[in-house]
Amino acid sequence: MRVGVLAAQGAFREHIIALRACGVDASEVRKAEQLDGIDALVLPGGESTAIARLLQDFGMFDKVRALGEAGLPIFGTCAGMVLLAKEIERSGQPRLGLMDITVRRNAFGRQVESFEADLDIPVLGKEPLRGVFIRAPYVTSAGPGVRVLATLDDKIVLVEQGKFLAAAFHPELTDDLRLHQYFLAKI
Ligand code: GLN
């Protein structure tokens, strides 16, 4: 299995390490040709406006959207979740719009820019997953085809819709591989 990790900006190296630890062939995607032949794609955290701009500059934006529409499994974390969303509150910034969700950016507020919390994620088993949140978004509404996999204080922080998975937090910053493994099962 070949998994591409968008290496435009942000926390991509940690995703590659996590995916390799899961036993798959993970590599950086920096140009459009590198999207050819991958079985899944990870959109890492970072700055969603910057990542979108780089995707456009490198001629990858429409290609990633088309691959997603054609059924390529895509896992977006943090800024990657923002990119996957159809709606971004109070923002006209470019987005792939592949998931029927509305997100609010930097949604946990200035006081708590970064924090960690144990998340109860029933599809991953009984053991909670440590969520690392960094200027994280959350989902404020989700369409009928979207399955909510985790909430934190009633805020939706993990969703899936078919082959797409989106997390408001950074699973690549802990040693827990369960969410990456869960994503890989979509391939
Ligand atoms: N706040 C960032 C954004 O909306 C996301 C932060 C992150 O990915 N850690 O782009």
Side-chain angles (χ1 to χ4, degrees), residues 5-7 9-16 42-47 51 77 134 170 172-173:
V5 178
L6 183 70
Q9 188 253 358
F12 54 87
R13 286 183 197 86
E14 293 81 358
H15 273 295
I16 289 180
V42 173
L43 302 175
E47 185 57 41
I51 295 172
T77 58
I134 304 169
H170 287 264
E172 78 285 6
L173 296 183

Side-chain angles (χ1 to χ4, degrees), residues 44-49 77-80 82 93 105-106 134-137 170:
E47 185 57 41
S48 55
T49 49
T77 58
C78 204
V82 175
Q93 70 186 79
R105 293 180 63 197
N106 306 316
I134 304 169
R135 283 175 286 107
H170 287 264

Side-chain angles (χ1 to χ4, degrees), residues 73-141:
I74 302 179
F75 181 17
T77 58
C78 204
M81 170 188 258
V82 175
L83 287 169
L84 283 171
K86 273 208 172 74
E87 302 291 339
I88 304 168
E89 287 189 359
R90 289 185 295 277
S91 173
Q93 70 186 79
R95 78 288 312 258
L96 296 166
L98 291 166
M99 292 184 77
D100 192 11
I101 53 174
T102 302
V103 298
R104 182 178 299 169
R105 293 180 63 197
N106 306 316
F108 289 92
R110 290 233 172 119
Q111 256 50 290
V112 282
E113 284 224 316
S114 302
F115 61 96
E116 295 186 16
D118 280 329
L119 301 171
D120 181 29
I121 307 177
V123 294
L124 299 184
K126 279 212 180 86
E127 189 70 31
L129 185 119
R130 193 77 180 155
V132 180
F133 293 78
I134 304 169
R135 283 175 286 107
Y138 59 71
V139 175
T140 54
S141 76

